[in-house]
Structures are given as C-alpha cells and as structure tokens.
Amino acid sequence: GIVALGTSEHIDGTLGNQPRGTKIMRNLVHENGVFGKQTSAYMQALACQTELIDNVFFNGPRAGINFNDGFGGGNLLKNNLIFNHVRETQDHGQFNSWDRLPYLTDVKPGTASLMPALSNVTRNFIINTYNSLYPIDHDDGSCYYLDTYNYLIYGGYKNYLGHSKTVQNNVYVYPDINPGKPFCGVCTGASRDHLPSGWGEVYSNNTCLMGNPNIYQFGSCNLDDPKGLIPFTAFNKFYAPNKDVYIECQGAELSLYAFQKLGYDKGSTVSDPVDTATVIKWGKDLLGM
C-alpha cells in the first residue's frame, strides 16, 4: 500500500514536518496485506491536505483508506471506487478515520489552531462487504468532515464520539444487509458537562433504501433530552416496506412521525421501496456516469 507519515513535537505540528498536499491519483491497489494485516491501500498519520482522486482500491485485510488522526485536515477524497476490505479483521470500515488527539497546526488560514480544516469525502462509490461495518467509518472522535454525494452500498452513516460532521446528499442502498449495524445512521456520543460529543452533526438530504424499518440507532439518546447526543436530521428520503420506519432512542422505538414531533427530520419522507433500475440510476446520476 501507500503511506504518508509525518512527525510532530508532541501535539505541535507547526514546524511542518509532515506530508502536505500529497496527490494520490489514478492508482490500482489490491491484494495488499499478505503478511501484515494492520494495513491499507492508503494510510496517513500526521499528514494533511491530501488529495485521493480516481483510485480503485479493493481486496485488503483492513480499511481501504485509513486516516490515523485528524492532523490538520483539508483532505479531499473524490471519485474513488473502494470495496472488499476488512476481509481478515473486524471493527473497521472501507474508509476509516480516527481522531483521538488534537494537534496544533497552521493549515487553516491565520494563526496556529487546534481546529483542523474541513476534509471533504465526495462522489465516491463504496461497497461495504466482508467484515466492514460502514462504508465511511468515522470512529473515535472523528470531526470536521463533509461527506457528500457518495454512493454507498450495504452500510450507513456513523458517528462515534465525534462532532462537526455534515453528511448530505448521499445514497445509502440496503445498509440493513450488514448484520452488525443495520441502520441508515448510527450515532453514539458521550457527554461531559454541557458539551455532548454529538454536537455539530448534520444528516440531511440523504436517500436511504431499507429492507427493514430501522433507520436510526442513537446509542446515547436520552428521551428526556433527545437533542443532546444525536445529529440534526432533515429532508431525508427513506424507502422501506409498508412505509414503516422507526428510530431507536434509549431502548425505545419512535415512529418517524413521533421523531418529527420532537423537531427532527422535518421535511423527511418515507415511501415504498423502488426497483433495481431506479437504484442503479441513483448511482449513475450521483457519480456522473
């Protein structure tokens, strides 16, 4: 695989000893990880402003693309085809991100900051197969991402202990095929004082086709204060048998109507499933094919 690796003085990355502005374009990577399994087609750690464009990554033991941290941000993942990863490990995604430690960088214009620039994940075709839990797995505090116009098969949206991600205009096709997390969206947060880790999360204007009625699972949802640890949701299009969907919150199941009464998913709709030709057309339209 391909690796971009930098260094820092503890959390201080302002000396610039990191790969910045690297372009990973039009590569074909497959069958990596023959001897070591904690490996990806592309991995970066203490690197930023990377452009991954027009690559095909498939058949690997771990994530196809792995961002070890949120250093600096400003990354672009666009027009990639990713599938058949996490074949020999577990608890990972086709694209995986972690962000367990803030870093001081000068990537955003102005003075040095602990806040990274926004990373953009857009127009990718990702098929979530084998042991992969999510096509885009934002794990362990991942933040400051914009996920848009992706065609995502057999997996939904994820936030785990993160914040400040916007997930819009994506198409999710049968995420419930995945037995581990059969939902359009999963958000699990943890709160300290008045700052919940789910703040700044947006899930809107997405399309999700389901074979069962489970659209959301909010692991830290509190029915007395449901807005505390779940994302802002609105204008989504759900497709499910019998137009029947529900949301899991603190072990309870809420109908979409009841959820909308709480102020969520305003403008969202639920319809009967569509045929295969329509699903394929969604993908072609989204990816410009």
Side-chain angles (χ1 to χ4, degrees):
I2 306 165
V3 177
L5 178 63
T7 62
S8 66
E9 296 292 329
H10 301 290
I11 70 166
D12 187 352
T14 58
L15 292 178
N17 297 323
Q18 306 88 23
R20 300 188 180 208
T22 305
K23 297 182 186 298
I24 311 294
M25 304 175 67
R26 293 183 292 276
N27 297 283
L28 175 65
V29 181
H30 61 97
E31 319 305 330
N32 64 293
V34 174
F35 301 105
K37 304 307 176 184
Q38 188 72 8
T39 183
S40 298
Y42 174 78
M43 192 280 286
Q44 72 177 42
L46 297 179
C48 57
Q49 298 169 295
T50 304
E51 295 184 11
L52 288 127
I53 302 174
D54 296 333
N55 299 287
V56 178
F57 297 154
F58 66 96
N59 289 1
R62 201 74 168 130
I65 299 173
N66 187 36
F67 282 12
N68 188 69
D69 48 64
F71 181 94
N75 304 288
L76 174 63
L77 284 71
K78 184 178 180 181
N79 294 344
N80 299 289
L81 173 61
I82 310 169
F83 62 98
N84 285 8
H85 288 96
V86 200
R87 299 197 302 174
E88 299 176 75
T89 58
Q90 295 182 349
D91 193 19
H92 226 40
Q94 301 293 312
F95 166 76
N96 184 82
S97 65
W98 292 315
D99 193 358
R100 298 161 177 162
L101 182 70
Y103 286 95
L104 186 69
T105 74
D106 55 3
V107 174
K108 292 190 71 175
T111 59
S113 174
L114 293 174
M115 182 182 295
L118 196 66
S119 290
N120 194 355
V121 181
T122 188
R123 305 286 183 184
N124 299 287
F125 185 3
I126 306 177
I127 306 174
N128 192 47
T129 49
Y130 286 90
N131 300 317
S132 178
L133 292 178
Y134 302 92
I136 299 175
D137 189 341
H138 288 309
D139 201 10
D140 289 4
S142 296
C143 53
Y144 302 108
Y145 279 88
L146 179 61
D147 300 344
T148 60
Y149 300 103
N150 297 289
Y151 191 52
L152 307 170
I153 313 299
Y154 306 148
Y157 147 78
K158 175 188 175 180
N159 168 58
Y160 181 66
L161 304 182
H163 61 84
S164 303
K165 293 186 292 297
T166 298
V167 179
Q168 290 180 323
N169 299 303
N170 301 285
V171 171
Y172 299 88
V173 179
Y174 291 121
D176 51 314
I177 290 291
N178 187 323
K181 295 294 180 181
F183 304 92
C184 298
V186 175
C187 184
T188 302
S191 180
R192 174 167 293 180
D193 298 325
H194 63 287
L195 293 175
S197 66
W199 64 269
E201 292 287 303
V202 175
Y203 182 88
S204 67
N205 300 90
N206 299 291
T207 297
C208 185
L209 172 64
M210 298 286 284
N212 68 44
N214 313 322
I215 57 173
Y216 298 136
Q217 182 186 58
F218 299 132
S220 302
C221 182
N222 183 344
L223 285 172
D224 295 327
D225 182 21
K227 295 183 180 180
L229 289 166
I230 61 179
F232 171 80
T233 55
F235 301 107
N236 296 296
K237 295 179 181 179
F238 301 106
Y239 296 84
N242 304 314
K243 303 179 184 179
D244 180 27
V245 296
Y246 66 81
I247 294 91
E248 285 192 11
C249 174
Q250 201 179 11
E253 294 181 357
L254 303 176
S255 68
L256 180 61
Y257 175 76
F259 197 52
Q260 289 174 327
K261 292 283 285 184
L262 293 173
Y264 284 91
D265 262 307
K266 289 186 176 181
S268 295
T269 60
V270 57
S271 305
D272 287 321
V274 296
D275 59 19
T276 302
T278 300
V279 176
I280 293 172
K281 186 177 185 301
W282 285 348
K284 288 183 175 180
D285 291 345
L286 200 64
L287 302 174
M289 298 171 64

